[in-house]
Amino acid sequence: MSVKIILTEPNKLLRLVSEPVEKVDKEYRRLMDDMIETMYAAPGIGLAAIQIGVPKRIIVMDISRDENKKEPMYFVNPVVNKKNSEKAIYEEGCLSVPDQFAEIARPSKCEVEYLDYNGKKQLLKAEGLLATCIQHEMDHLEGILFIDYLSKLKKSIIIKKLSKAKTNRIVV
Ligand code: ZN
């Protein structure tokens, strides 16, 4: 397993629509291992493959927020079957949009069909933080970031800040 570099906005790769996984094999399991390690190291509670530059429909998450009791979740080719019309608001952040947060409204419940780490079909009935998190991550698979839900002005201020932060960044 190894920790990968997380891409940050603005980066064109983050805007790609990810491709479905044909078969969950050893190589994809290795990718999921790298993703979960990268997510824990960040630290974050969710990561999509495209955030480390791989345009495949794979997500890892752990919303347990407990160092001692890790509960990693793996989603391959996730599809939303149902979602609630009722919305829930969370203050969201994103490993690809560092240090920026905004309140985003999303369906409060959803049902997601996916393949797990072993390629087995699963159904997740999510609500609360889990529902928000999986929807945030699934947006990444479509090249969508949470800042896309903000007004044009707010979004451009954030992107400007991030671009500036990048220009001033040095590694010595
Ligand atoms: Zn994100």
Side-chain angles (χ1 to χ4, degrees), residues 99-146:
D99 304 321
Q100 306 300 319
F101 300 90
E103 287 191 334
I104 307 292
R106 299 182 188 270
S108 61
K109 292 180 187 174
C110 63
E111 258 186 47
V112 180
E113 237 182 66
Y114 64 99
L115 301 176
D116 65 15
Y117 189 84
N118 296 307
K120 209 176 141 210
K121 209 172 185 180
Q122 302 282 357
L123 180 71
L124 173 78
K125 291 183 181 182
E127 57 179 82
L129 175 63
L130 183 59
T132 288
C133 194
I134 187 74
Q135 290 175 78
H136 173 118
E137 297 309 328
M138 285 181 71
D139 272 355
H140 279 298
L141 307 183
E142 307 304 327
I144 297 167
L145 298 173
F146 80 93

Side-chain angles (χ1 to χ4, degrees), residues 6-168:
I6 297 174
L7 306 178
T8 56
E9 175 79 349
N11 185 311
K12 279 185 191 161
L13 287 176
L14 291 170
R15 299 308 187 168
L16 289 179
V17 175
S18 293
E19 298 284 334
V21 169
E22 314 74 50
K23 189 177 183 291
V24 183
D25 57 17
K26 217 168 85 185
E27 234 161 85
Y28 284 119
R29 273 192 279 276
R30 192 178 305 140
L31 171 64
M32 287 189 261
D33 293 342
D34 287 345
M35 285 171 65
I36 201 91
E37 196 182 349
T38 303
M39 185 196 81
Y40 284 136
I45 59 169
L47 188 80
I50 192 60
Q51 291 180 275
I52 58 166
V54 181
K56 285 287 175 183
R57 302 184 83 81
I58 302 175
I59 290 164
V60 297
M61 281 171 30
D62 187 340
I63 60 160
S64 67
R65 296 198 216 187
D66 186 345
E67 270 291 307
N68 305 314
K69 205 173 147 266
K70 287 186 172 158
E71 285 170 26
M73 301 174 89
Y74 306 88
F75 301 89
V76 178
N77 299 342
V79 177
V80 171
N81 282 341
K82 280 186 207 165
K83 45 180 141 171
N84 210 354
S85 54
E86 196 181 297
K87 301 270 167 105
I89 297 174
Y90 277 86
E91 190 178 27
E92 294 186 23
C94 178
L95 294 173
S96 294
V97 189
D99 304 321
Q100 306 300 319
F101 300 90
E103 287 191 334
I104 307 292
R106 299 182 188 270
S108 61
K109 292 180 187 174
C110 63
E111 258 186 47
V112 180
E113 237 182 66
Y114 64 99
L115 301 176
D116 65 15
Y117 189 84
N118 296 307
K120 209 176 141 210
K121 209 172 185 180
Q122 302 282 357
L123 180 71
L124 173 78
K125 291 183 181 182
E127 57 179 82
L129 175 63
L130 183 59
T132 288
C133 194
I134 187 74
Q135 290 175 78
H136 173 118
E137 297 309 328
M138 285 181 71
D139 272 355
H140 279 298
L141 307 183
E142 307 304 327
I144 297 167
L145 298 173
F146 80 93
I147 52 172
D148 298 347
Y149 295 107
L150 305 176
S151 70
K152 264 192 181 162
L153 180 66
K154 272 191 189 165
K155 184 177 162 182
S156 71
I157 289 170
I158 287 177
I159 291 178
K160 220 177 254 176
K161 265 192 213 165
L162 293 172
S163 310
K164 211 173 157 206
K166 267 189 187 171
T167 327
N168 294 337

